[in-house]
Amino acid sequence: MSSPPDTGSRSSGDDSMHASVLLRSGPGEPLHHRRVTRPVPGPDDVLIQVYAASLDRVDNYIRRGTHGMAVTEPQTPGRDMAGVVAAVGTNVHGFRPGDEVIALGSRTHAEYALAPYWHTLRKPPEWSYAEAAALPTAGRTAYDAIVNITRVQPGERVLVVAASGAVGSFALQLSSHLGAEVYATAGQDWKRRTACALGARAALDHYRADLADQIRAATGGAEMDVIVDPIGGELWERLLTVLAPGGRIVTCGVTAGARGSLHLGRLMTRGWHIHGIGRPGRTQIAEHLRGCLDLMVAADQRPIVDRTFPLAEATAAHDYLEESDFFGRVVLTNMAEEPSTR
């Protein structure tokens, strides 16, 4: 069940809070659990008392300083959160203190964080805070890929690559709900079993060189109408060998590398539709957030949370995420509680 806002851990005049702070990017850099100034909402902001905030690969990249995301000044990571509205800006309508919400904001690995009201949604009462915090970035990305870009139809064959990842797990759930014949890939046996339990017809090992043969064996020789790929790199070329004529592939991540080759003759003769997930504007992001939430609720599905960590253990959570031995989302929780390490 949802918890009420924490009102007893500090005096009413205390404008500080605890947050996870990265001092600078670099190999082995820890996150520091320390007091910082509590943010003040601007006219369009919702100030949220955070009860859960999910981790994203981007958080890892910033911490390590890879993928062009190094920082040299202290920064609190995080974009996705769920919690209770603590205050609202003068332009905000429809939310008031005490409302339970999901939001896409900034610096969310903290006890309080801000989000623009247009990227704030009411939390389904049956969802936990951790489940709700898992939705924004990964959910809206998967929704855009499945519903808007590739326009998955009932009965189509959809291959979800790295189905254990944040985007992949949502893509698997959404495609299954839309009536697609879903296939998945994952790098470990237990992940492949989990993908099948969630609705995949079969789950294959994308680390094996014979991935295309595995897929054809699973489908009786049929090729994929849609492929959702958050990995990229050399795998991208192998995926194209099982994309049906006129098929659609959308790239929504490059965790294995940003380079891949494309035979233009095959593109011409096969008539493929190749898409990138893109960088939508605020209105589109808001539509994707609402669309994903509505579709998940209609399907009676919830975001998949692999494991939670207390805010004070953010470094351990980052290390766990980097090991890639998870299915779904890794989430920070217990933001408003007093960790024993203080």
Side-chain angles (χ1 to χ4, degrees):
M1 296 297 290
S2 301
S3 302
D6 173 19
T7 59
S9 61
R10 58 181 63 82
S11 66
S12 59
D14 187 354
D15 63 354
S16 69
M17 65 176 185
H18 278 91
S20 173
V21 179
L22 176 67
L23 300 184
R24 68 187 66 81
S25 298
E29 284 295 319
L31 282 302
H32 299 265
H33 189 73
R34 57 172 53 182
R35 279 203 176 275
V36 300
T37 301
R38 191 189 308 181
V40 177
D44 297 327
D45 292 330
V46 179
L47 177 64
I48 297 169
Q49 185 172 6
V50 182
Y51 279 87
S54 62
L55 271 71
D56 191 85
R57 288 290 186 187
V58 169
D59 299 321
N60 279 161
Y61 300 157
I62 292 172
R63 181 187 171 201
R64 298 302 188 191
T66 61
H67 295 70
M69 296 184 183
V71 297
T72 58
E73 298 180 352
Q75 178 173 316
T76 295
R79 296 181 291 181
D80 301 351
M81 61 179 157
V84 173
V85 175
V88 298
T90 55
N91 294 340
V92 177
H93 301 284
F95 295 104
R96 61 183 182 180
D99 288 342
E100 297 182 330
V101 293
I102 302 169
L104 178 62
S106 61
R107 301 182 180 185
T108 63
H109 296 175
E111 292 178 314
Y112 289 85
L114 297 174
Y117 71 84
W118 51 80
H119 290 164
T120 303
L121 304 168
R122 292 191 180 276
K123 182 181 79 69
E126 65 274 16
W127 287 18
S128 70
Y129 284 113
E131 290 168 337
L135 182 131
T137 296
R140 66 99 175 164
T141 301
Y143 177 87
D144 194 22
I146 294 297
V147 175
N148 295 328
I149 296 175
T150 61
R151 299 180 182 273
V152 168
Q153 300 298 309
E156 287 192 309
R157 289 178 296 276
V158 176
L159 178 65
V160 177
V161 180
S164 64
V167 174
S169 59
F170 277 104
L172 173 55
Q173 290 175 292
L174 296 176
S175 298
S176 297
H177 175 63
L178 292 173
E181 185 178 311
V182 185
Y183 298 85
T185 79
Q188 295 171 271
D189 285 341
W190 74 269
K191 293 180 180 180
R192 293 190 286 272
R193 291 194 298 270
T194 303
C196 290
L198 289 170
R201 294 285 187 94
L204 305 318
D205 185 350
H206 56 243
Y207 288 119
R208 284 173 45 179
D210 65 344
L211 175 61
D213 292 335
Q214 295 179 62
I215 292 171
R216 293 190 183 97
T219 64
E223 295 176 310
M224 294 295 140
D225 299 299
V226 172
I227 299 176
V228 179
D229 174 33
I231 291 183
E234 295 181 0
L235 178 63
W236 196 76
E237 301 167 41
R238 284 187 277 155
L239 295 174
L240 290 176
T241 66
V242 293
L243 185 60
R248 296 93 75 197
I249 182 170
V250 56
T251 294
C252 51
V254 290
T255 57
R259 300 282 182 180
S261 65
L262 173 63
H263 192 298
L264 294 180
R266 285 181 58 78
L267 173 62
M268 178 181 67
T269 58
R270 302 279 282 181
W272 293 322
H273 300 265
I274 297 175
H275 305 272
I277 196 64
R279 294 186 180 277
R282 83 176 206 189
T283 300
Q284 289 73 35
I285 290 175
E287 292 171 352
H288 303 162
L289 286 168
R290 169 54 60 190
C292 183
L293 178 60
D294 289 347
L295 202 56
M296 292 289 288
V297 171
D300 194 24
Q301 295 179 332
R302 302 187 189 188
I304 300 168
V305 176
D306 178 273
R307 184 174 172 183
T308 64
F309 290 80
L311 175 63
E313 298 177 16
T315 298
H318 274 246
D319 292 343
Y320 180 74
L321 186 68
E322 289 183 338
E323 293 171 2
S324 295
D325 191 23
F326 61 88
F327 200 113
R329 273 299 210 192
V330 178
V331 179
L332 298 174
T333 59
N334 303 330
M335 308 300 208
E337 297 178 8
E338 293 287 325
S340 60
T341 55
R342 292 184 194 173

